[in-house]
Amino acid sequence: MARILITSALPYINGIKHLGNLIGSQLPADLFARYMRARGHEVMFICATDEHGTPAELAAAKAKMPVAEYCAEMHEVQAELARGFGLSFDHFGRSSSRQNHALTQHFAGRLKAAGLISEVEEKQVYSHADGRFLPDRYIEGTCPNCGYERARGDQCEECTKQLDPTDLINPRSAISGSTDLEVRETKHLFLRQSAMRDRLDAWIDEKKDWPILTTSIAKKWLHDGDGLQDRGITRDLDWGVAVKDGDEEWPGMEGKVFYVWFDAPIEYIAATAEWADKNGLDDAAWRRWWREDEGASDVRYVQFMGKDNVPFHTLSFPATLMGSGEPWKLVDYIKSFNYLNYDGGQFSTSQGRGVFMDQALSILPSDYWRWWLLSHAPENNDSEFTWENFQTSVNKDLADVLGNLVSRVTKFCRSKFGEVVPEGGVFGPREAQLIGDLSARIREYETLMESMEVRKSATELRAIWALGNEYLQEVAPWSTIKSDPEQAAAQVRLALNLIRLYAVLSKPFVPDASASMMASLGCEAWDWPDDVAAALATFAPGHAFATPEVLFAKITDEQREDWADRFSGTRG
């Protein structure tokens, strides 16, 4: 049994996330966590809401609520939606927790002691119209590198170049659009990432199995232009983790907070501490996942995120952990994703364009969405959601292949043998062939799931489903029963066992449907099919079952057209 630590990039607190956010980190992380649990491994699956920074303050002001109250309310909204999508976190924490405050201040103190923090007098943009200093990402302008006209003051999303606000051409406030900006002097702390560049570079060179998407982004930040730059880790804000040197005050830093990108990844650790507290466990329970000197040396740590989060997870967060001089667990594998686009354009939170998590659950159960998103995950390239493709995938994969097999087998058995597993007959060459084919495909499915090849895993699972349908079509028990009832009984008995097999294999993708299949079979044996022949003999003759309701309803053309119109823009 291995120990697997899994973290998903933290969803930001300011509103309900769309399906592009979901497939970029949380959903594939859940797929991997569910699979690893199914194989008997010890899993710790952690996520949290990312609650600090200007966007949270602005969203709270818009909602006319105190920011702490707003964040608490939105955390519950996001937690409920996560449950609705079957995201099986061991803990869904909050970056505003006392644990994260303490750990963030601890790391800052350690980095200061190691000489990796510098105090820098810098020029920061102040907006007269907004009455506040503007964080880098709230200043927009033209990128000096590629000419993109909506580049942010911290990074250009188009070419990914790291920027300072003063680099932008024609800068303006992203809050008000005002160009009445003033550059003022202020003092901030900087993480001396440049001093860690060679160590980070060598560490990334060791990661031969990382996706090219991940390593190419990290290398670009390390070596483009002047190479990896020092990074500001404090901001002039009210809401956040107060700047402290461990437990001590930090002279000159009064009234400042740590930058959200400094404290957010530390919340992975803090959320595990929150989990321990919530379950009445001592510190050793969470530290065995994170401290290599306290039990984490045998942990495999996997992170899931969208490509825009890669620089912070390959460089800034590892620099924080390494620079502390303490034996914290570093990530072993980063699974990064491209973007999911929406019907010829982009998902847009501001424009309400696309399908958001709450809307998705209001029109269809979560498994429909889970299957489509995972089977179309934007792994090697950006992918696109269209309603036509969604309808086709649901109808052909879920309804026609998996759902149809479950319905045909249970209804036929009920009509000819009753709602019990029939006895009689023996397996022959065709059954042996099916067992061999299933064994080969299941071993390939395992390989793909372990290597986090999400789309290929979905394709392989569908092929496993299709083997059962091909078998039924070929042996046709509805015909066999007329001439050889005993053989038909054997075929149906195998097919009923096949439903359980499919429930076990499919649970990481469609957990609710798998649970329904197992409930109909009156079974709680979720054992992984290491031995396919034995798995297909789980139910002895006489075992009772209940014919289930339709597992997956087909999406009609009328539904598709209605939804395409409803989600074309302006979230209601």
Side-chain angles (χ1 to χ4, degrees):
M1 181 177 72
R3 296 175 62 217
I4 315 291
L5 174 63
I6 301 167
T7 59
S8 163
L10 311 187
Y12 199 69
I13 196 68
N14 64 336
I16 292 168
K17 305 298 115 177
H18 56 63
L19 296 184
N21 302 131
L22 180 62
I23 189 55
S25 55
Q26 292 173 293
L27 188 54
D30 179 71
L31 177 79
F32 188 60
R34 285 179 175 276
Y35 173 73
M36 284 298 170
R37 291 191 195 105
R39 300 308 309 276
H41 301 305
E42 184 183 2
V43 170
M44 178 61 67
F45 179 24
I46 291 294
C47 191
T49 40
D50 181 3
E51 301 187 8
H52 296 138
T54 299
E57 291 188 345
L58 295 176
K62 185 177 180 182
K64 296 181 170 55
M65 296 172 67
V67 64
E69 187 180 317
Y70 171 82
C71 288
E73 182 176 296
M74 286 308 303
H75 171 80
E76 287 307 313
V77 169
Q78 292 202 25
E80 183 61 28
L81 288 170
R83 288 188 287 271
F85 273 93
L87 303 180
S88 59
F89 305 127
D90 287 286
H91 186 70
F92 186 60
R94 301 183 60 190
S95 70
S96 61
S97 68
R98 61 176 176 79
Q99 291 89 343
N100 196 40
H101 280 242
L103 273 167
T104 298
Q105 292 161 346
H106 167 81
F107 278 110
R110 295 290 304 186
L111 291 165
K112 179 186 179 185
L116 291 171
I117 297 237
S118 56
E119 295 188 11
V120 177
E121 288 281 352
E122 65 167 357
K123 293 177 169 58
Q124 191 169 342
V125 176
Y126 185 86
S127 168
H128 290 278
D130 299 304
R132 65 190 300 152
F133 282 104
L134 294 179
D136 296 351
R137 67 192 297 262
Y138 275 84
I139 306 161
E140 287 185 346
T142 301
C143 175
N145 185 54
C146 73
Y148 179 57
E149 293 183 352
R150 296 194 63 185
R152 297 189 321 212
D154 58 349
Q155 181 185 359
C156 176
E157 289 185 327
E158 189 71 17
C159 68
T160 75
K161 184 172 180 61
Q162 187 176 349
L163 298 170
D164 286 316
T166 52
D167 296 332
L168 294 173
I169 301 165
N170 300 322
R172 61 192 176 274
S173 165
I175 299 170
S176 63
S178 173
T179 57
D180 184 13
L181 307 178
E182 177 189 348
V183 177
R184 293 183 176 180
E185 293 279 343
T186 184
K187 183 191 287 187
H188 281 293
L189 303 181
F190 275 65
L191 176 60
R192 296 183 57 226
Q193 296 182 147
S194 58
M196 300 283 291
R197 187 176 76 168
D198 291 345
R199 185 173 175 186
L200 290 165
D201 202 14
W203 175 67
I204 289 168
D205 281 341
E206 296 171 2
K207 307 301 180 183
K208 306 296 186 187
D209 61 336
W210 281 15
I212 293 172
L213 177 65
T214 302
T215 53
S216 63
I217 292 171
K219 287 290 187 178
K220 190 173 185 177
W221 278 54
L222 278 165
H223 299 294
D224 267 15
D226 296 328
L228 185 63
Q229 300 297 297
D230 295 344
R231 191 75 171 157
I233 61 167
T234 55
R235 289 293 182 268
D236 291 296
L237 294 172
D238 297 321
W239 174 244
V241 179
V243 176
K244 284 191 173 184
D245 176 3
D247 295 328
E248 305 297 321
E249 296 300 323
W250 200 310
M253 289 292 117
E254 297 82 4
K256 298 182 190 287
V257 299
F258 285 108
Y259 182 27
V260 62
W261 263 113
F262 182 68
D263 83 76
I266 295 170
E267 169 61 12
Y268 295 143
I269 307 173
T272 317
E274 293 168 42
W275 160 83
D277 278 1
K278 183 179 178 181
N279 289 280
L281 303 171
D282 60 14
D283 285 351
W286 68 263
R287 291 172 74 90
R288 67 186 285 269
W289 288 100
W290 285 103
R291 290 283 297 223
E292 296 210 336
D293 58 338
E294 298 180 41
S297 58
D298 65 343
V299 168
R300 175 166 164 77
Y301 177 21
V302 182
Q303 294 175 345
F304 288 79
M305 70 197 66
K307 62 184 177 183
D308 54 330
N309 286 338
V310 166
F312 299 100
H313 287 79
T314 55
L315 303 170
S316 301
F317 186 40
T320 297
L321 298 180
M322 291 177 184
S324 73
E326 297 172 323
W328 294 99
K329 177 65 187 175
L330 293 168
V331 65
D332 293 299
Y333 190 86
I334 294 179
K335 177 68 175 179
S336 55
F337 290 85
N338 287 285
Y339 296 136
L340 176 68
N341 295 318
Y342 179 77
D343 213 8
Q346 292 184 329
F347 280 88
S348 173
T349 300
S350 60
Q351 297 172 25
R353 189 172 188 279
V355 187
F356 290 73
M357 289 172 67
D358 58 337
Q359 296 168 326
L361 294 177
S362 74
I363 60 175
L364 284 171
S366 62
D367 281 351
Y368 291 69
W369 302 105
R370 288 178 64 104
W371 174 254
W372 189 91
L373 290 167
L374 291 166
S375 62
H376 294 78
E379 291 178 287
N380 299 318
N381 303 102
D382 290 353
S383 58
E384 182 172 9
F385 178 93
T386 68
W387 287 102
E388 291 80 4
N389 186 296
F390 180 64
Q391 178 190 30
T392 299
S393 181
V394 166
N395 291 355
K396 289 187 178 297
D397 297 348
L398 297 180
D400 287 347
V401 183
L402 180 59
N404 184 49
L405 179 136
V406 173
S407 179
R408 279 203 298 176
V409 170
T410 54
K411 287 180 179 177
F412 176 73
C413 185
R414 180 178 63 183
S415 69
K416 301 299 181 182
F417 302 101
E419 288 187 321
V420 292
V421 176
E423 61 180 333
V426 294
F427 293 168
R430 185 60 185 88
E431 288 71 33
Q433 179 191 334
L434 175 63
I435 290 168
D437 291 345
L438 284 169
S439 297
R441 284 213 172 268
I442 291 169
R443 299 295 87 84
E444 178 63 16
Y445 177 60
E446 292 167 354
T447 299
L448 293 169
M449 288 288 275
E450 282 162 14
S451 59
M452 289 162 270
E453 295 278 359
V454 178
R455 291 178 76 144
K456 289 180 180 178
S457 296
T459 299
E460 195 63 34
L461 180 59
R462 188 191 187 282
I464 291 168
W465 296 341
L467 285 175
N469 279 286
E470 291 163 7
Y471 167 77
L472 282 177
Q473 283 297 108
E474 188 174 326
V475 301
W478 42 88
S479 297
T480 307
I481 197 167
K482 299 171 186 174
S483 58
D484 191 347
E486 293 265 310
Q487 189 58 37
Q491 293 163 353
V492 171
R493 187 165 65 250
L494 182 142
L496 287 167
N497 277 284
L498 197 59
I499 294 172
R500 189 200 75 87
L501 178 78
Y502 286 172
V504 172
L505 296 174
S506 306
K507 188 178 180 183
F509 281 91
V510 286
D512 290 345
S514 290
S516 295
M517 291 157 70
M518 291 292 263
S520 296
L521 294 169
C523 179
E524 295 183 3
W526 290 95
D527 314 65
W528 192 261
D530 295 312
D531 181 336
V532 174
L536 293 177
T538 300
F539 299 136
H543 177 86
F545 69 89
T547 304
E549 299 295 320
V550 173
L551 201 59
F552 293 102
K554 287 194 173 186
I555 295 172
T556 66
D557 291 347
E558 291 75 20
Q559 286 176 309
R560 184 200 73 217
E561 291 164 5
D562 173 49
W563 296 335
D565 181 61
R566 281 169 57 187
F567 301 113
S568 58
T570 313
R571 176 178 167 86

